[in-house]
Amino acid sequence: MTGVGLAVVVFTLIAASIYLRMRHYRSTLGDMEIKESPLSVAVQDMVGTAGGVYLSLVLLVSFLKIDLPGRVYLLGIGVDPTALLALALAVVQPLLYRFRKK
């Protein structure tokens, strides 16, 4: 299976899982308050951090007038290089914090 095919399958499985979980919660919980899980909090934190880093990088690139390629291809999928860097920094950030703490 090619990288693109694998990525499509993984994305489809993730989307289907989220959809089924949402249906389950809506049908069983009704108007009850949903508790946040450690996983959901961690994902929200990572996405929030990546979003903040992305905005900062976009402003920096714009201010310095740096020319970046429109797309970087990773496993056959075109990705915005600024978004890829922001996500990579958000993923690495907890590791850097842990090494700095020790």
Side-chain angles (χ1 to χ4, degrees), residues 22 27 29 42 45 78 102:
M22 286 176 20
S27 67
L29 299 177
D45 183 52
K102 286 187 176 182

Side-chain angles (χ1 to χ4, degrees), residues 26-95:
R26 284 184 185 153
S27 67
T28 59
L29 299 177
D31 292 333
M32 292 176 59
E33 185 177 331
I34 298 174
K35 290 184 179 180
E36 292 182 332
S37 70
L39 176 62
S40 68
V41 173
V43 170
Q44 289 174 7
D45 183 52
M46 186 183 72
V47 170
T49 301
V53 171
Y54 177 78
L55 290 175
S56 298
L57 288 174
V58 167
L59 290 172
L60 182 66
V61 167
S62 174
F63 178 74
L64 296 176
K65 306 231 186 290
I66 298 173
D67 290 327
L68 293 176
R71 292 271 183 211
V72 173
Y73 290 91
L74 183 66
L75 297 174
I77 301 172
V79 182
D80 177 16
T82 310
L84 184 63
L85 180 60
L87 186 59
L89 290 173
V91 168
V92 172
Q93 184 258 340
L95 299 172

